[in-house]
Amino acid sequence: MATFVPEPFRIKSVEPIKQTTRAEREIFLQEAGYNIFNLRADNVYIDLLTDSGTGAMSASQWAGIMLGDESYAGARNFFNFQNAVRDIMGFEFVAPTHQGRGAENVLFSIMVHAGQVVPNNTHFDTTMANILARGGNPTNHVIPEASNPAYDHPFKGNMDIAALEAFIEKTGAENIPLGMITITNNSGGGQPVSLENIRQTAEVYHRHGIPFFIDACRFAENAYFIQQREPGYREKSVREIAREIFAVADGCLMSAKKDALVNIGGFVTMRDEELYRQVAQELTLREGFPTYGGLAGRDLEAMARGLYEGTDEDYLRYRIGHTQYLADSLLEAGIPVLRPSGGHAVYLDAKQIAPHIPASQFPAQAVTAALYLEGGIRGVELGSLMFAHPHPQTGEWLYPELELVRLAIPRRVYTQAHLDYVVDVAKHVFENRKSLPGYRIIYQTKFLRHFTARLEPIS
Ligand SMILES: *Cc1c(COP(=O)(O)O)cnc(C)c1O
């Protein structure tokens, strides 16, 4: 039996959500061109589109909002935020930004030049795009086990150290302005990286004189997985583990919309003062004065408090248990799910659910549409609608290996009953899977088509 870790909070403020009828949803979905990105959020009952910026803030964070100091320069909330970053991560200098990609833009505009290469376990899509936008070349070196959906591995986000080493030798360290690792590995299913692997990665980069930056969006969830799964860390606190992670890095980038439990915000932080001076100048040009970045004073206060709450162990036990509960309940119902479950999302394996739908007719999109139609649940397709592309020379369509539906879990938002409801709806879709239709695209853009495409079912 799947077990649920009781919430370490109670509810003080509620936001009504509306259940619609199936007949209404048929119309909404048709009007949206069968693309869940085109739905009005008001017509969604359980919204599992993303865990980014969708979490619930605490009473303390909302109280902090009222203590916002909106001075242009030197607001007190900046110093609270800086102290939180120094205390939890151990970096001396920090520049706030409007969100994660703002931090990427500022750092890469200084460090990455045309033709240079930036390795990672797996780059997140905005990270990849911001490196490409500088004329750089992002490369991925995650362990090969990561691409096998059924393979159970405690640290499926690990860097392939031998492959990284060989890649640096071949490329030449002089062509690598910085090296990265993403914790947890979002694009690889929210899978954690072990502390041993983070240390080895740092050692390889540093031996070649390459600065090491961590994409730390979900560092607290990653630190909790280390405590639970890596030998020798059971007795250490999550904050001690976080300090050990950051101790081997030169800096980090973070979208605070993830583990800092805010609705907007991000930052880039580092040890090197000269680099910080350049970042502060770029920040002033693109985001705002160095003590506020793209944010209001109140946002900085919420972020300072969120960094502490996001590393609270009672919260993390509940958070990871919550995700695990959904994955285990789906598995118990016989529904194929990516193993092991990651920190922030559960992934349905649409190739197994709808083997009768070929990749050219978007099986994961079919499951995504059915979850909305049957229960008003919004997941997101990570399959051929998002990733298929024509071969640059032959024009032949290339399809991704996996057809997944991601159910991302907002932090502190939904209850066990909501998750049980999701499982019931998924069961219903699974039982009727043979009748799921394939889809064809009737409108698409050349780039990032999944956001705006319009589709229709094939009868
Ligand atoms: C969300 C995310 C980003 C980008 O952050 P935004 O706040 O969405 O701009 C970068 N890297 C990873 C791993 C992320 O999950």
Side-chain angles (χ1 to χ4, degrees):
M1 263 296 279
T3 52
F4 189 86
V5 179
E7 290 88 349
F9 51 81
R10 56 184 174 179
I11 296 166
K12 190 193 289 277
S13 175
V14 297
E15 179 184 14
I17 47 176
K18 188 180 67 181
Q19 183 56 294
T20 50
T21 65
R22 194 180 193 288
E24 286 171 330
R25 290 193 293 273
E26 267 172 31
I27 294 167
F28 297 144
L29 196 59
Q30 192 184 13
E31 284 175 352
Y34 296 89
N35 183 344
I36 49 87
F37 282 103
N38 294 332
L39 289 169
R40 278 175 180 248
D42 274 347
N43 295 330
V44 173
Y45 180 53
I46 307 284
D47 203 345
L48 307 180
L49 182 61
T50 175
D51 68 317
S52 179
T54 54
M57 292 208 295
S58 65
S60 162
Q61 284 177 296
W62 282 110
I65 291 273
M66 294 308 290
L67 298 174
D69 169 0
E70 304 307 339
S71 305
Y72 188 88
R76 82 177 79 88
N77 313 108
F78 171 74
F79 297 103
N80 294 345
F81 165 62
Q82 187 181 51
N83 285 341
V85 170
R86 285 179 178 168
D87 182 24
I88 291 173
M89 300 178 146
F91 296 113
E92 180 71 8
F93 303 102
V94 63
T97 59
H98 75 284
Q99 61 183 85
R101 69 200 68 182
E104 291 165 359
N105 180 30
V106 164
L107 186 71
F108 297 157
S109 70
I110 293 161
M111 295 190 83
V112 182
H113 302 289
Q116 292 186 321
V117 178
V118 182
N120 206 328
N121 46 353
T122 311
H123 284 283
F124 181 65
D125 53 11
T126 61
T127 319
M128 189 170 106
N130 268 299
I131 292 167
L132 288 170
R134 299 281 151 201
N137 180 14
T139 60
N140 297 329
H141 309 273
V142 70
I143 54 170
E145 289 87 342
S147 57
N148 179 352
Y151 188 81
D152 227 316
H153 184 296
F155 294 103
K156 231 174 165 177
N158 276 358
M159 185 78 84
D160 184 335
I161 299 295
L164 178 68
E165 180 94 54
F167 180 79
I168 295 173
E169 298 289 341
K170 194 180 82 191
T171 309
E174 67 282 7
N175 299 312
I176 304 177
L178 76 157
M180 299 185 68
I181 202 162
T182 304
I183 59 172
T184 57
N185 190 21
N186 184 4
S187 302
Q191 301 291 332
V193 180
S194 73
L195 193 43
E196 183 190 26
N197 190 262
I198 295 171
R199 289 209 175 104
Q200 289 169 340
T201 302
E203 194 277 320
V204 171
Y205 285 139
H206 286 155
R207 183 153 38 76
H208 291 87
I210 300 167
F212 173 38
F213 277 76
I214 297 179
D215 182 341
C217 295
R218 298 179 183 79
F219 78 93
E221 292 175 6
N222 200 103
Y224 182 76
F225 278 120
I226 288 172
Q227 187 195 56
Q228 297 299 309
R229 294 181 181 174
E230 191 163 348
Y233 291 97
R234 265 300 161 99
E235 303 308 319
K236 294 209 165 156
S237 72
V238 163
R239 291 209 185 113
E240 282 170 324
I241 294 168
R243 287 295 290 256
E244 289 191 29
I245 292 173
F246 293 118
V248 299
D250 299 293
C252 83
L253 295 158
M254 178 149 174
S255 167
K257 299 169 72 171
K258 321 293 174 38
D259 277 0
L261 289 161
V262 290
N263 304 120
I264 196 73
F267 58 90
V268 48
T269 175
M270 73 279 309
R271 284 182 218 293
D272 182 40
E273 186 163 12
E274 176 47 33
L275 176 63
Y276 172 70
R277 288 218 183 94
Q278 294 175 43
V279 163
Q281 178 179 305
E282 191 65 22
L283 196 73
T284 313
L285 199 61
R286 313 248 169 239
E287 296 270 321
F289 189 74
T291 59
Y292 73 83
L295 299 170
R298 55 180 173 269
D299 296 327
L300 294 168
E301 188 61 35
M303 207 155 62
R305 295 178 184 217
L307 279 169
Y308 284 101
E309 292 180 14
T311 48
D312 177 272
E313 306 211 357
D314 289 340
Y315 158 73
L316 283 165
R317 188 174 312 112
Y318 147 78
R319 166 71 177 159
I320 302 300
H322 199 68
T323 307
Q324 186 80 50
Y325 175 80
L326 178 59
D328 290 348
S329 305
L330 289 165
L331 279 170
E332 272 170 23
I335 302 168
V337 163
L338 198 74
R339 299 296 301 157
S341 65
H344 67 287
V346 174
Y347 300 72
L348 306 179
D349 187 346
K351 245 189 197 174
Q352 283 194 57
I353 297 173
H356 62 287
I357 304 176
S360 58
Q361 296 180 12
F362 313 112
Q365 179 59 22
V367 175
T368 305
L371 287 171
Y372 178 72
L373 211 51
E374 294 308 328
I377 296 162
R378 175 154 70 171
V380 66
E381 193 256 18
L382 304 180
S384 41
L385 183 60
M386 190 177 279
F387 298 117
H389 56 276
H391 188 282
Q393 271 90 48
T394 65
E396 180 204 353
W397 278 89
L398 305 172
Y399 294 100
E401 211 169 319
L402 300 176
E403 295 283 349
L404 303 175
V405 180
R406 186 185 74 183
L407 306 176
I409 308 184
R411 293 168 179 78
R412 306 191 290 205
V413 169
Y414 294 117
T415 64
Q416 180 178 15
H418 287 129
L419 297 187
D420 288 342
Y421 171 82
V422 171
V423 175
D424 281 345
V425 173
K427 257 193 226 168
H428 185 81
V429 169
F430 188 64
E431 278 156 17
N432 297 291
R433 61 192 180 279
K434 293 209 170 67
S435 63
L436 289 176
Y439 283 80
R440 76 166 72 89
I441 294 181
I442 54 175
Y443 164 79
Q444 63 180 312
T445 52
K446 187 153 180 237
F447 296 108
L448 296 172
R449 66 175 179 181
H450 56 281
F451 286 123
T452 51
R454 299 186 71 82
L455 302 101
E456 65 183 15
I458 300 169
S459 51

